[in-house]
Amino acid sequence: MKKILFAISIFLIMSCSKTVTRDDVRKIKIGMSGNELKYIMGEPWDIEINNGYEEWRFTYDRGMNSATTLRVTMVNDKLNDSMSY
C-alpha cells in the first residue's frame, strides 16, 4: 500500500510541475538567483526555512522511470554551494 501511495505522490508532483532533466540540473550554477533557478527548474514543490537559509526541493527525473528529490540551499536569494540528491 505504501508503494502505491508513493507512486501516486510522485505522479502528482511530476504532473503539476515541469519535468526536470539531467540537462536542466547541469545548468545550475552556484550564486544564481532564485528567479534564475526557477526559470531552469520550475517552482520548487517544497521550501523549508531554517536559521537564515532556505532549502528548496525539486523533483528530478533521472530517466528510466526513476525520480528523486534535488535539494538546494538558498541564502539571501542566492544558490549556496549546498546541493544534494
Side-chain angles (χ1 to χ4, degrees):
M1 183 67 168
K2 287 182 181 180
K3 288 182 180 181
I4 292 171
L5 291 175
F6 177 74
I8 290 171
S9 298
I10 293 296
F11 173 76
L12 289 174
I13 290 168
M14 292 184 73
S15 65
C16 295
S17 62
K18 174 185 174 191
T19 300
V20 177
T21 65
R22 289 180 190 167
D23 289 336
D24 293 323
V25 173
R26 288 182 185 127
K27 295 175 187 174
I28 297 172
K29 304 292 181 210
I30 303 304
M32 66 182 2
S33 72
N35 285 336
E36 291 171 315
L37 184 60
K38 288 178 186 178
Y39 180 78
I40 294 169
M41 302 293 287
E43 290 291 325
W45 59 266
D46 188 38
I47 297 175
E48 184 177 315
I49 300 171
N50 295 305
N51 300 326
Y53 69 91
E54 298 177 353
E55 182 177 277
W56 292 10
R57 295 181 182 101
F58 301 92
T59 299
Y60 166 46
D61 181 6
R62 296 179 1 180
M64 304 286 291
N65 296 322
S66 176
T68 192
T69 299
L70 173 66
R71 299 171 187 216
V72 298
T73 303
M74 302 295 290
V75 178
N76 298 323
D77 196 44
K78 297 287 182 194
L79 181 62
N80 196 348
D81 61 356
S82 175
M83 284 192 343
S84 63
Y85 300 92

